[in-house]
Amino acid sequence: MIKIRGLTKIYNGMPVLNGIDLDIEKGERIVIIGPSGTGKSTLLRCLNFLDTPDGGEIIFDDETIDVTKASPKDIQRLRLRTSFVFQNYALFANKTARENIAEGLYTVRKWGREEALNRADEILATIGLADKADAYPAALSGGQQQRVGIGRAMSVDTDLMLVDEPTSALDPEWVEEVLQLMKRVADQHRTMLIVTHEMSFAKDIADRVIFMEGGRIVEQGPPSKIFSAPEDDRTKAFLRKVLPSAL
Amino acid sequence: MRALDIEYMLGLVPVLLKYVPLTLGMASVSMALALALASLLAIIRVARIPVLDGITRVFISFFRGTPLLVQLFLFYYGLPQLVPVLTALDGVTAAIIGLTLHFAAYMAESIRAAILGVDRSQWEASKAIGMSMAQMMRRIILPQASRVAAPTLVNYFIDLIKGTSLAFTLGVTELMGAAQKEAAGSFLYFETFIVVAVFYWVIVEALSLFQQRLEGRLSKAFVR
C-alpha cells in the first residue's frame, strides 16, 4: 500500500499541489481527471522526483520518505519502485526500440545483457512491435513510440506505474492503438496512477476516479459515481464541458 | 624569378614522411586527452558543481584568452624555473600538455553547449528509470551531444594538428622542425615550406573524409 501525505509543490510562490493526501491500494487503478494546470501531472512527477516536492511524505509499504529530507539514495529507491510513461514518449533517441526497453534493466537493475534483451523482445512481441526491435525512435510513428514507452514501463514489476497523459501528444490516428494497449496493461492489475483526458477510457479501466482542481483533490470515487452522480459543483462543471452529451 | 627545384622537392618527401608519425602521434594523444578533459569540464559547468565550476571558468578563460605559443613557452621554459622537477620535461611532453589544455578549454564550451542542447525529455527519462548522473551522461546525454558537437570538434582537431607545428619552438623535430632544418641546409625556403604545407594539407583532407564517415555514424539513429 502506498500513502501520500500532505504532498505540496510550490512554483514561483504559487502552490501547484496543495497538500495532497492519497492512499493507493495494491493493484488499484486510479485515474486522475481535471482541468489543465491543476497539478495532475505535477503530482505524478513529484512522486518520482522529476519535480522536487516542497513538503509532505511518500510512504511505500514500510518505507517513509519525508520529501524535504530525501537523499539521492532515497530518490533513487523511489524511482526504482515506480515506472513512468511520458506524455511526449521520451524514448532515448540514441537507442533502438529494443534497447529503450532493455536499457534500465541492464544499466540500472543490473540484469545480464542477454536476459534484458530477451525481456525486451518479449515485451515488443506483447505490444505488437517485434518487427521494429531495431528501429530508432525517429523512424517510428508517434503511436509506435508511445507503445515502446509503455513497454519500457511494463518491463519491470514496479510498485507503482505513473502514466502522464499517454495520448495527449498523439495525432488522432494513433490514439486508439495506444489506448488499447493501456487497457491491456490495466488488465494486468498493476498499481497505476493515470492522468488522462480520455473520459471513456477512464470509465473503462478505473477502480477509482479522482477529480483535481487548484492543486487539491476535490472529489473521488468509483467511475460510476463520479461520472454519473458527481457531488461537487466543480466536478459537475468540468464534466459538463468534457462530456457534453453524457450528463 | 628562378625555376623551382623539383628534384629537391621530391627528395624532401621521403625525408619529411619520417616525421609524420610524430606529428600525428602528438596530435592524436593531445586530442584524446583534450576530449576527455573537455568532457569533464563541460559536465562540471553543466552540473554547476560548486568551487569546481569557478575553477573551470578561470581555466577556460585563461587558456582561451592567451596565445598557444605563450602557453607552450610557459610550460617548457617557464615552469621548470619555479618547479625544478619539471626540468625533466621533454619538448614532446610539454607540447602535448600545452595542446591538451589549450584545446580542452575551447572544446569544453562546445561540448557544454551540445549537452545543454539535448532535449529535456532525455534527461527526464534517464532519471525516471533510476539512472545515476554518471550513467545518464555516459549512456544517453553524451552520445547525443557528440552528434551535435562532432563537426566543431573535428574543426578543433584540424586546428590542433596544425598547432603541433609550434612544438618545433620547444626543440621538437616534428614535421615543421624537420622542414626548418632542411631549409637551413639547402637555403631553398620556398621549396621546403611549400612541401611541408602540402603535407599538412593532405593530412587535414584525409581527416575530412573521416569526418564525413563519423558524422554519418553518429546520425544513424536520427534518420527517418
Side-chain angles (χ1 to χ4, degrees):
Chain A
M1 175 142 159
I2 300 158
K3 293 179 192 157
I4 300 163
R5 289 290 174 269
L7 198 67
T8 305
K9 172 71 185 173
I10 297 163
Y11 270 126
N12 300 327
M14 291 286 291
V16 189
L17 288 184
N18 236 323
I20 299 285
D21 294 321
L22 181 63
D23 288 1
I24 306 167
E25 297 289 342
K26 195 169 166 52
E28 195 179 14
R29 293 153 298 188
I30 299 178
V31 169
I32 306 175
I33 59 171
S36 300
T38 50
K40 306 183 300 289
S41 293
T42 307
L43 171 59
L44 298 196
R45 295 168 56 87
C46 280
L47 290 178
N48 72 347
F49 274 72
L50 283 183
D51 287 337
T52 309
D54 293 298
E57 282 179 350
I58 301 168
I59 303 150
F60 271 86
D61 302 323
D62 47 354
E63 187 180 6
T64 301
I65 295 167
D66 175 343
V67 300
T68 56
K69 294 184 190 126
S71 68
K73 275 243 158 62
D74 292 334
I75 293 173
Q76 218 245 357
R77 268 205 306 282
L78 209 51
R79 287 174 177 164
L80 290 180
R81 282 171 169 260
T82 56
S83 49
F84 204 99
V85 175
F86 291 86
Q87 184 177 345
N88 59 1
Y89 340 130
L91 297 187
F92 300 124
N94 59 327
K95 305 271 173 197
T96 63
R98 177 194 281 123
E99 290 165 345
N100 260 280
I101 296 171
E103 180 67 32
L105 302 179
Y106 56 69
T107 302
V108 182
R109 293 175 195 268
K110 304 299 171 203
W111 291 30
R113 217 187 137 76
E114 199 71 3
E115 192 189 0
L117 289 171
N118 286 342
R119 175 71 175 146
D121 285 334
E122 227 175 272
I123 297 280
L124 283 167
T126 311
I127 63 179
L129 288 174
D131 56 328
K132 299 289 184 188
D134 295 317
Y136 287 96
L140 298 175
S141 75
Q144 291 169 334
Q145 288 190 59
Q146 189 58 297
R147 278 150 69 196
V148 175
I150 294 166
R152 180 168 65 183
M154 286 165 72
S155 64
V156 274
D157 268 319
T158 51
D159 295 336
L160 177 63
M161 192 164 170
L162 301 163
V163 184
D164 188 10
E165 301 197 28
T167 57
S168 297
L170 289 173
D171 288 333
E173 53 186 317
W174 310 124
V175 169
E176 196 46 41
E177 67 180 53
V178 169
L179 289 181
Q180 288 299 335
L181 176 59
M182 279 307 305
K183 278 180 197 157
R184 279 167 51 206
V185 178
D187 286 342
Q188 297 176 336
H189 297 284
R190 294 164 183 265
T191 316
M192 300 172 86
L193 203 49
I194 304 166
V195 174
T196 186
H197 293 294
E198 298 286 339
M199 294 302 149
S200 67
F201 163 71
K203 226 184 264 181
D204 278 0
I205 62 128
D207 297 309
R208 179 168 28 144
V209 175
I210 289 178
F211 175 73
M212 269 182 79
E213 193 179 274
R216 286 194 174 85
I217 293 175
V218 172
E219 187 170 354
Q220 53 180 309
S224 54
K225 173 178 168 290
I226 296 292
F227 287 113
S228 316
E231 282 170 12
D232 196 282
D233 287 342
R234 287 166 291 181
T235 318
K236 286 178 191 165
F238 173 75
L239 288 174
R240 256 199 302 278
K241 272 185 223 156
V242 296
L243 296 174
S245 55
L247 283 177
Chain B
M1 210 174 117
R2 68 174 173 84
L4 285 182
D5 190 338
I6 303 288
E7 204 177 320
Y8 169 78
M9 288 166 72
L10 290 176
L12 201 56
V13 171
V15 177
L16 291 185
L17 217 44
K18 281 185 289 181
Y19 297 94
V20 169
L22 180 57
T23 288
L24 285 184
M26 279 199 298
S28 309
V29 172
S30 306
M31 184 66 185
L33 294 174
L35 258 183
L37 180 59
S39 304
L40 189 69
L41 296 177
I43 291 171
I44 287 171
R45 297 238 33 220
V46 170
R48 299 209 186 91
I49 300 170
V51 187
L52 286 180
D53 188 31
I55 296 172
T56 301
R57 276 164 190 264
V58 175
F59 174 90
I60 291 174
S61 166
F62 177 80
F63 281 97
R64 286 208 305 180
T66 55
L68 176 56
L69 188 58
V70 174
Q71 293 162 14
L72 292 177
F73 275 33
L74 255 180
F75 283 114
Y76 190 63
Y77 299 110
L79 271 186
Q81 291 192 332
L82 295 188
V83 191
V85 226
L86 294 180
T87 319
L89 207 65
D90 62 279
V92 173
T93 314
I96 288 176
I97 294 173
L99 290 166
T100 297
L101 299 182
H102 183 83
F103 283 94
Y106 276 97
M107 296 194 301
E109 289 297 279
S110 307
I111 296 175
R112 182 176 78 104
I115 290 175
L116 291 176
V118 174
D119 194 78
R120 199 176 69 135
S121 67
Q122 303 295 305
W123 303 76
E124 293 193 338
S126 310
K127 288 180 191 168
I129 65 168
M131 281 190 180
S132 66
M133 179 78 177
Q135 288 169 335
M136 170 167 75
M137 280 295 165
R138 201 176 63 242
R139 301 197 54 89
I140 307 297
I141 305 300
L142 287 179
Q144 292 186 44
S146 67
R147 167 176 164 258
V148 178
T152 323
L153 295 182
V154 174
N155 260 339
Y156 284 129
F157 189 28
I158 288 172
D159 222 11
L160 192 155
I161 291 172
K162 294 182 293 181
T164 58
S165 63
L166 291 176
F168 101 91
T169 61
L170 310 186
V172 178
T173 311
E174 37 64 71
L175 207 44
M176 181 62 194
Q180 175 77 8
K181 281 181 185 162
E182 292 296 321
S186 65
F187 296 109
L188 292 172
Y189 292 106
F190 184 82
E191 280 86 343
T192 311
F193 292 125
I194 195 72
V195 169
V196 83
V198 170
F199 262 82
Y200 282 108
W201 194 7
V202 169
I203 291 172
V204 169
E205 277 306 302
L207 184 65
S208 303
L209 290 179
F210 158 79
Q211 174 173 15
Q212 285 166 15
R213 286 180 45 193
L214 175 75
E215 285 174 19
R217 229 189 61 182
L218 291 173
S219 302
K220 184 182 61 165
F222 297 86
V223 181
R224 278 169 192 278

